[in-house]
């Protein structure tokens, strides 16, 4: 029999030392790995140390000593931080390059607008009035040289940024202690004109520099110069030298003389300040500087420019066409706002806009502000003023944005934020009247404090318990603060927004007495809600818009919403009664108009920095502000003085020859001054009738003196001409 194989399991035990052997192998593996890592790190460190030592030994051959070492270290650090700065600046500049992706980036997307007054007569133009039809090689050589000599003498030698010119400008500005010379090249200015705004900020300068480099990389020097000459703003609403030659000199740009070329080249720096139709002496002085620049740049000799110096350019007289400059600037912004709501306007950007503007009222507004500033400006340390006049539904008829558009184009009527002082108080009282108070409510006028702030009255005196009618008439400061504590400042802010304030109001303890800043146009809009009986009266000017083909794109009378009541009628009547009393017996007595019911409120801020009068009749609302741009104090100018005087001069003129509308809630017979009619109301004047001019106070004074002198001479004249009286001769005794 063979040997059999059994399937029985092996029950013998394995050798005991097998587990320790496996553990030893694992331990040896990790010990070897650790040794390898340690060795590798040691070798890496040793190699790095040898490399650094070798590099250091190499650099020791170039070791600088003394001042050269300091310069080398400064240069090294400067290069490092310079590269870092360029990287950071490039990051800021990235958004600017988005606009270069469009195929039509060379064109402009602005509007060309012809503005008409409410009668349909043209009053001016804004936006792009552009003519780029003349090639660069057909432009006068004198114009090209004048431009380069004044704006960028090294234009054909730099790469878009003139480092030499920038350094020279920095030195000159440091010597003068101010900005007397610009460092931007023509390419940088073109980049700003095409892609950026006039904002003065470091971010804009960074983007401008990078875009200038981009333009240099994509266009030739001739193309850049041509675009600059075609796109530069030249004042008067025109862009480019070709359009400017037609506007200022009524001639083709090819025909410009040296004197005219110099005058145009002088406009690049400040086109409105040096515009010859606004300030011809300043334009000629600037042209003379351009001629000097041409000589200094070796483009011309002194003998070649002497003729242009002796016979300066004479521009076309367009002074009558440029009266409503501030209004036109504001109206253009209103057109752009309307275009955002009406896409069809963007398809044809050449439009004609009929506005609410009244040229006769604008002339009187300019005259009123000019007269008051001329007679009182130096004496009272006040240099600026603003005025907005509108119908009681918000239609702006006149706007004065400053003392001189030629000196400053900043529109103080629409854009300046100033503290309104006590002229803000009607918002507080209206909020109180809508929350349980009325004009006969009694509130104590006595000292109190809110934390560290203690409101005080103008005369530092207190009247004790007073009615709200008395408090607002006498412009008591403690009362509106107490009302705000009762009804909440949020309620006052909501009321102000509802009535027409658009700028954010600061919720501070001094808000009720006018510490939060507002604009003149917003104050006029807000008070119009009182003048019309309680309806929303947002400022507007656009009545009709037509495209270049004459098709009507917009008509306010068809699209404007129905008047929205925002204030209770009975509460408006209460406020009106009080504000009429402010004019009749309060702080605004200088604003009284013979035979007209007028209401309003004065406002004066701390240290006499701002002086306001905002007033209204049943026909018009007008807001007036006086102050200084640098917020310096005036010489005790209050709202009841110069602002009320300018308001009265304008509004008296505006109400001549028109039918007087009633003041909501006020009966003229209840006012002692108006209980006996002192003027005869005429029928509504036709829309196109010219408004009569009102004589200046100085003229009236001179006429009175002439009349007095003539009356003194009358007995002698009668004795000499006894028996020969001329029946057609004016009775000199009647002259007043």
């Amino acid at each position: 029999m063979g040997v059999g194989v059994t399937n029985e399991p092996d029950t013998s035990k394995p050798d005991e030392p097998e587990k320790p052997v496996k553990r030893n192998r694992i331990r040896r593996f990790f010990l070897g790995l650790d040794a390898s890592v340690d060795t590798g790190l040691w070798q890496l460190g040793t190699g790095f140390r040898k490399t650094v030592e070798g590099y250091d030994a190499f650099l020791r051959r170039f070791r600088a000593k003394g001042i050269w070492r300091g310069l080398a270290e400064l240069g090294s650090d400067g290069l490092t931080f310079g590269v870092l700065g360029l990287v950071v600046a490039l990051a800021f500049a990235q958004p600017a390059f988005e606009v270069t992706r469009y195929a039509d980036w060379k064109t402009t997307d602005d509007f060309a607008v012809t503005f008409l007054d409410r009668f349909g007569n043209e009053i001016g133009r804004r936006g792009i009035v552009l003519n780029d039809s003349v090639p660069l090689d057909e432009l006068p050589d004198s114009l090209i040289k004048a431009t380069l000599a004044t704006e960028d003498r090294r234009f054909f030698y730099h790469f878009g940024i003139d480092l030499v010119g920038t350094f020279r400008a920095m030195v000159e500005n440091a010597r003068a202690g101010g900005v007397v010379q610009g460092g931007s090249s023509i390419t940088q200015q073109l980049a700003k004109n095409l892609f950026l705004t006039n904002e003065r900020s470091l971010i804009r300068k960074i983007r401008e520099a990078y875009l200038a480099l981009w333009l240099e990389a994509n266009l030739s020097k001739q193309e850049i110069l041509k675009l600059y000459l075609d796109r530069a703003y030249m004042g008067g609403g025109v862009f480019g030298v070709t359009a400017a030659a037609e506007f200022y000199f009524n001639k083709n740009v090819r025909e410009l003389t040296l004197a005219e070329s110099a005058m145009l080249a002088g406009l690049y720096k400040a086109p409105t300040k040096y515009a010859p139709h606004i300030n011809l002496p300043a334009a000629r002085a600037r042209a003379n500087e351009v001629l000097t620049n041409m000589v200094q740049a070796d483009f011309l000799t002194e003998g070649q420019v002497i003729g242009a110096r002796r016979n300066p350019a004479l521009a076309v007289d367009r002074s009558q066409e440029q009266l409503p400059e501030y209004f036109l600037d504001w109206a253009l912004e209103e057109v752009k706002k309307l275009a955002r709501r009406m896409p069809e306007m963007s398809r044809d950007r050449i439009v004609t806009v009929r506005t609410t503007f009244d040229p006769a009222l604008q002339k009187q507004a300019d005259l009123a502000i000019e007269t008051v500033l001329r007679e009182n400006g130096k004496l009272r340390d006040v240099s600026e003023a603003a005025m907005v006049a509108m119908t009681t539904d918000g239609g702006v008829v006149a706007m004065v944005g400053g003392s001189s558009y030629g000196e400053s184009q900043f529109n103080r009527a629409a854009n300046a934020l100033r503290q309104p002082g006590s002229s803000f108080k009607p918002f507080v009282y209206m909020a109180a009247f809508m929350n349980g108070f009325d004009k006969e409510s009694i509130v104590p006028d006595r000292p109190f404090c809110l934390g560290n702030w203690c409101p005080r009255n103008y005369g530092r005196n207190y009247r004790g318990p007073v009615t709200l009618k008395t408090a607002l008439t006498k412009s008591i400061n403690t009362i509106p603060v107490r009302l705000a504590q009762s009804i909440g400042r949020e309620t006052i802010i909501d009321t102000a927004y509802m009535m027409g304030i658009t700028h954010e109001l600061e919720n501070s303890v001094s808000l009720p007495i006018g510490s939060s800043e507002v604009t003149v146009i917003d104050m006029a809009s807000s008070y119009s809600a009182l003048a019309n009986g309680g309806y929303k009266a947002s400022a507007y000017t656009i009545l009709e818009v037509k495209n270049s083909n004459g098709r009507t794109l917009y008509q306010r009378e068809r699209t404007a919403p129905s008047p929205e009541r925002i204030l209770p009628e009975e509460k408006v009547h209460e406020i009106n009664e009080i504000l009429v009393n402010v004019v009749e017996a309060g702080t605004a007595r200088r604003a009284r108009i013979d035979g007209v019911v007028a209401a309003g409120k004065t406002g004066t801020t701390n240290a006499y920095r701002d002086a306001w009068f905002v007033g209204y009749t049943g026909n018009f609302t007008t807001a007036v502000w006086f102050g200084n741009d640098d917020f310096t104090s005036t010489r005790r100018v209050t709202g009841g003085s110069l602002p009320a005087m300018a308001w009265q001069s304008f509004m008296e003129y505006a109400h001549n020859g028109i039918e007087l509308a009633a003041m909501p809630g006020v009966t003229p017979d209840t006012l002692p001054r108006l209980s006996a009619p002192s003027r005869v109301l005429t029928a509504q004047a036709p829309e196109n009738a010219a408004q009569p001019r009102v004589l200046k106070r100085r003229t009236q004074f001179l006429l009175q003196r002439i009349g007095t002198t003539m009356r003194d001479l009358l007995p002698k004249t009668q004795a000499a001409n006894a028996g020969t009286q001329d029946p057609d001769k004016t009775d000199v005794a009647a002259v007043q």
Side-chain angles (χ1 to χ4, degrees):
M1 292 179 62
V3 179
V5 179
T6 65
N7 292 325
E8 294 180 2
D10 185 5
T11 58
S12 61
K13 294 183 179 180
D15 296 336
E16 291 297 334
E18 286 189 11
K19 288 184 179 180
V21 170
K22 290 182 179 180
R23 286 196 293 270
N24 290 336
R25 290 176 181 174
I26 294 173
R27 187 181 297 111
R28 283 195 299 271
F29 171 78
F30 281 106
L31 287 173
L33 179 63
D34 179 65
S36 298
V37 171
D38 289 344
T39 302
L41 291 175
W42 180 83
Q43 291 176 344
L44 182 64
T46 302
F48 180 75
R49 186 178 67 254
K50 289 181 178 180
T51 302
V52 171
E53 290 175 351
Y55 177 73
D56 184 62
F58 174 77
L59 291 181
R60 287 178 184 275
R61 302 177 184 177
F62 308 99
R63 179 183 294 275
K65 297 181 180 180
I67 188 173
W68 297 108
R69 179 176 180 177
L71 293 176
E73 292 182 354
L74 287 176
S76 177
D77 292 341
L79 182 62
T80 302
F81 287 109
V83 172
L84 180 61
L86 288 175
V87 173
V88 174
L90 181 60
F92 281 116
Q94 284 302 306
F97 287 100
E98 294 295 324
V99 295
T100 64
R101 296 183 180 182
Y102 299 102
D104 60 344
W105 60 267
K106 292 183 183 180
T107 63
T108 178
D109 62 351
D110 209 343
F111 283 88
V113 187
T114 300
F115 286 103
L116 311 177
D117 63 19
R118 66 189 185 98
F119 310 120
N121 303 314
E122 183 175 334
I123 56 175
R125 301 188 180 194
R126 277 294 183 271
I128 298 298
V129 181
L130 180 65
N131 186 342
D132 56 0
S133 60
V134 181
L136 181 65
D137 56 5
E138 294 183 18
L139 293 176
D141 185 61
S142 61
L143 179 60
I144 301 295
K145 290 180 176 178
T147 299
L148 295 177
T150 304
E151 297 300 310
D152 191 355
R153 299 178 189 178
R154 293 171 40 82
F155 172 70
F156 287 101
Y157 304 101
H158 60 66
F159 52 89
I161 302 174
D162 186 7
L163 299 179
V164 176
T166 301
F167 179 76
R168 182 178 62 249
M170 292 173 60
V171 172
E172 292 298 326
N173 293 337
R175 288 177 178 175
V179 180
V180 297
Q181 191 175 113
S184 295
S185 67
I186 282 180
T187 312
Q188 288 176 274
Q189 294 180 53
L190 177 62
K192 181 186 70 174
N193 293 340
L194 288 177
F195 305 118
L196 305 173
T197 67
N198 289 324
E199 175 193 7
R200 293 189 175 184
S201 66
L202 180 60
I203 300 289
R204 197 218 76 189
K205 294 297 291 184
I206 292 173
R207 294 175 179 174
E208 178 186 289
Y210 275 98
L211 286 170
L213 298 176
W214 185 89
L215 286 173
E216 290 279 346
N218 288 272
L219 300 176
S220 67
K221 286 288 187 179
Q222 288 74 16
E223 289 175 319
I224 291 174
L225 182 58
K226 180 64 167 67
L227 277 173
Y228 177 75
L229 293 172
D230 288 342
R231 296 298 189 270
Y233 181 58
M234 308 296 286
V238 298
F239 290 74
V241 294
T242 305
E246 296 173 354
F247 181 78
Y248 290 118
F249 307 117
N250 199 23
K251 61 167 56 176
N252 190 292
V253 68
R254 300 177 180 88
E255 303 171 357
L256 289 178
T257 65
L258 175 58
E260 292 166 343
S261 295
M263 186 170 285
L264 288 188
L267 294 174
Y268 300 124
K269 180 179 181 180
T272 305
K273 180 179 180 180
Y274 298 117
H277 70 299
I278 293 179
N279 193 338
L280 184 59
R284 287 178 169 175
R286 175 63 178 163
N288 203 44
E289 293 178 13
V290 173
L291 293 173
T292 300
N293 293 337
M294 296 175 73
V295 174
Q296 292 176 348
D298 294 328
F299 291 159
L300 294 175
T301 65
E302 186 63 44
Q304 289 173 307
V305 302
I306 192 170
R309 293 189 193 275
R310 291 179 176 177
N311 300 284
L314 180 63
V316 176
D317 183 12
R318 298 186 183 274
S319 57
Q320 296 303 314
E321 302 175 14
Q322 300 299 318
L323 288 176
E325 299 282 6
Y326 290 111
F327 174 85
L328 292 175
D329 288 347
W330 175 74
L332 177 61
E333 296 304 314
E334 294 300 299
V335 170
K336 292 179 180 179
K337 290 179 183 178
L338 181 61
R340 298 188 191 107
R341 306 197 308 265
M342 300 181 59
E344 59 269 27
M345 285 182 61
S346 299
R347 301 189 188 104
D348 185 353
R349 293 181 174 272
I350 302 176
V351 295
T352 300
V353 178
R354 187 167 66 89
T355 69
T356 55
F357 179 79
D358 188 310
L361 295 182
Q362 179 65 48
K363 287 182 181 179
Q364 182 60 26
D366 288 331
L367 180 62
I369 294 295
E370 177 187 353
T371 301
V372 173
L373 281 177
R374 185 177 64 248
E375 295 178 354
N376 303 277
K378 292 184 178 180
L379 181 65
R380 306 295 292 273
D381 290 338
V382 58
S383 60
E384 286 297 344
M387 175 187 289
V388 173
M390 60 179 60
T391 55
T392 57
D393 69 337
V396 177
V397 296
M399 176 180 289
V400 180
S403 60
S404 171
Y405 189 82
E407 293 295 328
S408 170
Q409 296 79 58
F410 178 64
N411 192 337
R412 296 155 189 81
N415 301 322
L417 290 167
R418 306 294 297 224
Q419 292 181 333
S422 294
S423 61
F424 186 83
K425 291 176 182 176
F427 299 113
V428 181
Y429 284 80
M430 176 54 70
F433 287 179
M434 295 170 63
N435 286 274
F437 291 85
D438 59 42
K439 64 182 181 180
E440 300 301 332
S441 298
I442 304 294
V443 178
D445 173 28
R446 58 172 178 259
F448 76 104
C449 296
L450 296 175
N452 295 327
W453 182 68
C454 304
R456 283 179 280 188
N457 295 329
Y458 179 72
R460 300 293 193 271
N461 57 342
Y462 301 90
R463 297 171 179 263
V466 295
T467 64
L468 294 189
K469 179 177 181 178
T470 300
L472 183 53
T473 300
K474 302 301 181 183
S475 198
I476 298 173
N477 284 337
T478 62
I479 302 302
V481 179
R482 290 185 182 275
L483 291 176
Q485 290 298 106
S486 176
I487 63 177
R489 291 192 296 272
E490 295 82 2
T491 303
I492 297 171
I493 292 174
D494 291 341
T495 302
Y497 289 158
M498 180 175 58
M499 290 177 64
I501 299 298
T502 59
H503 187 262
E504 183 178 359
L505 298 174
E506 182 181 357
N507 189 348
S508 63
V509 292
S510 57
L511 168 77
I513 58 174
S515 63
S516 198
E517 297 172 330
V518 296
T519 62
V520 177
I521 195 169
D522 277 2
M523 291 295 282
S525 298
S526 302
Y527 274 61
S528 290
L530 304 176
N532 64 32
Y535 293 93
K536 186 77 172 180
S538 299
Y540 72 92
T541 188
I542 301 173
L543 296 177
E544 184 179 65
V545 178
K546 293 184 178 181
N547 65 9
S548 58
N549 297 322
R551 186 171 68 89
T552 300
L553 303 178
Y554 169 82
Q555 274 190 330
R556 179 177 174 81
E557 61 183 14
R558 291 189 307 186
T559 60
S562 300
E564 174 191 0
R565 174 167 289 282
I566 58 174
L567 303 174
E569 185 177 15
E570 64 278 8
K571 300 303 179 182
V572 173
H573 292 176
E574 285 191 80
I575 287 285
N576 285 348
E577 180 183 336
I578 299 174
L579 295 183
V580 166
N581 199 44
V582 171
V583 174
E584 294 298 318
T587 58
R589 287 186 291 273
R590 288 181 178 176
R592 291 186 297 189
I593 305 172
D594 183 33
V596 179
V597 179
K601 186 69 187 75
T602 58
T604 309
T605 62
N606 287 341
Y608 300 96
R609 292 188 179 93
D610 302 280
W612 293 74
F613 181 69
V614 189
Y616 54 94
T617 66
N619 299 84
F620 299 104
T621 304
T622 300
V624 183
W625 166 86
F626 277 77
N628 295 308
D629 284 342
D630 58 2
F631 292 90
T632 55
S633 299
T634 63
R635 188 169 296 176
R636 302 185 68 84
V637 175
T638 63
S641 58
L642 304 189
M645 291 162 57
W647 187 94
Q648 194 277 342
S649 175
F650 170 78
M651 291 289 270
E652 185 175 51
Y653 177 93
H655 288 79
N656 266 321
I658 66 172
E659 183 177 354
L660 300 183
M663 173 76 69
V666 179
T667 304
D669 294 341
T670 62
L671 305 176
R673 184 174 63 87
L674 301 175
S675 58
S678 57
R679 59 185 286 192
V680 178
L681 303 184
T682 62
Q684 178 72 38
E687 283 195 343
N688 58 355
Q691 295 283 356
R693 291 179 65 90
V694 175
L695 294 176
K696 301 178 185 178
R697 291 187 300 278
R698 184 174 295 178
T699 304
Q700 294 174 349
F701 175 71
L702 291 175
L703 287 176
Q704 290 174 353
R705 292 191 61 182
I706 293 172
T708 301
T709 303
M710 294 181 71
R711 281 196 299 271
D712 293 339
L713 295 175
L714 184 60
K716 298 180 180 179
T717 304
Q718 289 176 336
N721 298 295
T724 60
Q725 184 94 353
D726 186 348
D728 293 330
K729 189 174 182 180
T730 302
D731 184 2
V732 294
V735 177
Q736 296 295 327

